[in-house]
Amino acid sequence: MTTTSEETPVRRGGVRAEERALAPDLARGIMLLLIVLSNTAFHLWAARRGPSGWQPADGSWLDHAVQFTMIIVLDLRVYPLFAFLFGYGMMQLFLRQTAAGNSERGAARILRRRSLWLIVIGLLHSTLLMAGDIVGYYGVLSLVLGLVFLRRSERALKRWICVGAVLMVFFAAQPVVSALLRGELGTLGDAGAEPGFLAYAAQEGNWLTAAGTRLETGLFVTFLASALALVGGGYVVFLLGFWAARRRVLEEPGRHRTLLRRTAVIGITVGWLGALPAALAHVGALDVPADAQSEEGALTLLRDVTGNAAGLGYVAAVALFVHWWSSRRARVAAGVEVGVGATVVAAVSAVGKRSLSCYLAHSLLFAPVLAAWGLGLGEHLSSWTMALFAVGVWLLTVAGAYALERAGRRGPAEAVLRRLMYGARRS
């Protein structure tokens, strides 16, 4: 009896080396540098905090320069980049599976299994090492959004992207407009609230006590924060990744140069300008009420909304670089590029191919060295020295990923996840 592909889906494993595109891998590699830098603040557990409860408020002029730069370039700006790339990769996997003959239902089943395992990995990561884990958070988002949108039409995706954008702006603007009408914009927020960095428990000297706090924070981020993102339109960048993957925007940046240029220029400009008031207030160059600078204040809400534009701008800028880089290489005789530039691009892309392994490795190299329950080095570092430490950690993962790339081996976390997704024969 003959059966349809819907009844007996054709199975294949994950992405093969020849199927990979440079832009997504390079963007993921750069993203991990930005993530490890943005995570430095809570490791400075002995520093004096400003009204935002996040970036330290003390230090030398060099520390203030680093804090200013991080507020504009990194804080609330890197995770939208992660969300876009996560959604993009998810749709890539779905399209590869269906192109290979697997049914849409079978491909979606693989992605559901991936999402569930990412939630498990994320909660383990947050409990053991890093409370602000985002793997579990995006595992929940991918589980829900995959169920609802993977098989929807492009028109439906665009419609829900518009709905999400409206919801996001509404929920961010509503308290600001309300406070503005009452003449109480400066009192929106609470500068006396518990500083956000305490939820990461880096200042706790007992590992078990710290693990309890990290688990609580991890559960909040994974489940409650993801639910709020779904209700409040925070899923919009994720769905933009779905849409862009269907258009092959990152695989074929040359065909989308106009879109990418506009996104890079507008996105980065809006994102950086949206964070500028908070950065100026943090270093004392702008007189703003402390409540307005707090985690629920008007300046933070402005940073949050405009951060999505910055994240998309970063992706577009990387794609444009890849288009330029590929064109440059094509002009080299026999298509061979030698030199430092080619090695750097290959090494950073190797990190992107092993992004989960490198992300987890950051915590293995950070937490035991910096936390009070470990060696406690975070007590003695400042913003600029911590930034140097973070860059050093990222460079170590670059070296490790490049060595694995040259040896033709996957990252350990990627190998385990593939085995869990596809089974032994398809991993």
Side-chain angles (χ1 to χ4, degrees):
M1 180 177 67
T2 303
T3 58
T4 66
S5 61
E6 183 70 26
E7 294 167 334
T8 56
V10 178
R11 294 289 299 276
R12 59 155 283 174
V15 60
R16 305 182 184 101
E18 65 274 11
E19 295 175 318
R20 301 198 74 102
L22 176 59
D25 288 334
L26 186 62
R28 291 186 188 100
I30 295 171
M31 172 194 72
L32 284 168
L33 171 61
L34 302 181
I35 285 178
V36 76
L37 283 168
S38 68
N39 283 338
T40 56
F42 71 83
H43 288 293
L44 295 169
W45 46 271
R48 180 175 61 84
R49 303 287 158 168
S52 72
W54 187 248
Q55 286 289 348
D58 52 10
S60 65
W61 68 267
L62 190 53
D63 293 309
H64 291 313
V66 169
Q67 294 156 14
F68 182 90
T69 302
M70 285 190 175
I71 291 172
I72 288 184
V73 178
L74 300 179
D75 291 354
L76 301 175
R77 273 125 189 80
V78 180
Y79 295 124
L81 167 60
F82 187 100
F84 179 90
L85 293 173
F86 200 105
Y88 197 100
M90 190 174 172
M91 182 58 75
Q92 278 185 310
L93 191 154
F94 178 79
L95 295 175
R96 279 195 300 266
Q97 287 289 329
T98 54
N102 200 351
S103 67
E104 289 187 347
R105 185 172 298 175
R109 189 180 303 117
I110 293 171
L111 282 163
R112 283 198 300 274
R113 189 156 53 242
R114 177 175 180 259
S115 298
L116 290 170
W117 279 114
L118 287 176
I119 294 170
V120 173
I121 292 170
L123 287 175
L124 286 173
H125 179 219
S126 62
T127 303
L128 296 175
L129 291 170
M130 215 280 279
D133 172 85
I134 53 174
V135 170
Y137 170 85
Y138 286 114
V140 172
L141 284 182
S142 64
L143 182 65
V144 176
L145 296 177
L147 285 170
V148 178
F149 292 109
L150 267 179
R151 291 177 279 176
R152 301 291 291 273
S153 67
E154 191 170 306
R155 177 178 295 180
L157 280 179
K158 289 180 179 179
R159 183 166 59 248
W160 281 98
I161 287 169
C162 291
V163 170
V166 171
L167 287 172
M168 186 188 306
V169 173
F170 172 78
F171 281 109
Q174 189 274 331
V176 174
V177 172
S178 178
L180 187 62
L181 292 175
R182 297 194 310 269
E184 301 173 354
L185 185 60
T187 61
L188 180 65
D190 183 7
E194 182 177 87
F197 83 98
L198 294 176
Y200 293 75
Q203 75 288 347
E204 177 58 56
N206 183 280
W207 182 87
L208 284 175
T209 303
T213 302
R214 287 195 301 267
L215 174 59
E216 182 179 347
T217 303
L219 290 170
F220 174 88
V221 171
T222 301
F223 296 109
L224 184 56
S226 60
L228 292 174
L230 291 168
V231 173
Y235 61 84
V236 64
V237 179
F238 205 106
L239 290 191
L240 280 169
F242 278 16
W243 174 84
R246 288 189 175 182
R247 293 295 188 94
R248 296 180 60 82
V249 171
L250 298 186
E251 289 96 326
E252 301 170 359
R255 292 182 53 227
H256 305 277
R257 278 177 292 177
T258 300
L259 172 65
L260 291 170
R261 287 191 188 116
R262 289 175 179 171
T263 303
V265 173
I266 297 173
I268 294 174
T269 301
V270 169
W272 288 8
L273 287 178
L276 183 59
L280 291 171
H282 181 82
V283 298
L286 187 65
D287 187 17
V288 176
D291 286 339
Q293 300 179 54
S294 69
E295 293 188 36
E296 304 296 330
L299 296 189
T300 301
L301 292 174
L302 178 63
R303 291 165 60 203
D304 194 5
V305 173
T306 57
N308 292 283
L312 293 173
Y314 294 160
V315 176
V318 172
L320 289 171
F321 169 80
V322 167
H323 174 67
W324 169 82
W325 179 259
S326 301
S327 300
R328 177 174 179 267
R329 292 195 68 185
R331 293 193 295 268
V332 178
V336 177
E337 176 80 19
V338 294
V340 175
T343 302
V344 170
V345 170
V348 176
S349 300
V351 173
K353 295 176 184 179
R354 298 158 182 84
S355 56
L356 181 58
S357 295
C358 292
Y359 175 69
L360 298 175
H362 291 167
S363 296
L364 284 171
L365 295 170
F366 257 68
V369 174
L370 299 172
W373 52 262
L375 297 180
L377 183 62
E379 181 182 12
H380 307 289
L381 296 178
S382 64
S383 294
W384 81 269
T385 53
M386 180 66 81
L388 287 180
F389 183 86
V391 172
V393 166
W394 180 75
L395 288 174
L396 282 176
T397 62
V398 170
Y402 189 52
L404 290 173
E405 179 74 10
R406 291 177 63 86
R409 299 177 61 184
R410 300 187 183 103
E414 284 73 22
V416 170
L417 186 58
R418 281 185 178 228
R419 177 69 65 92
L420 295 170
M421 288 171 60
Y422 301 108
R425 290 181 296 175
R426 298 283 182 178
S427 64

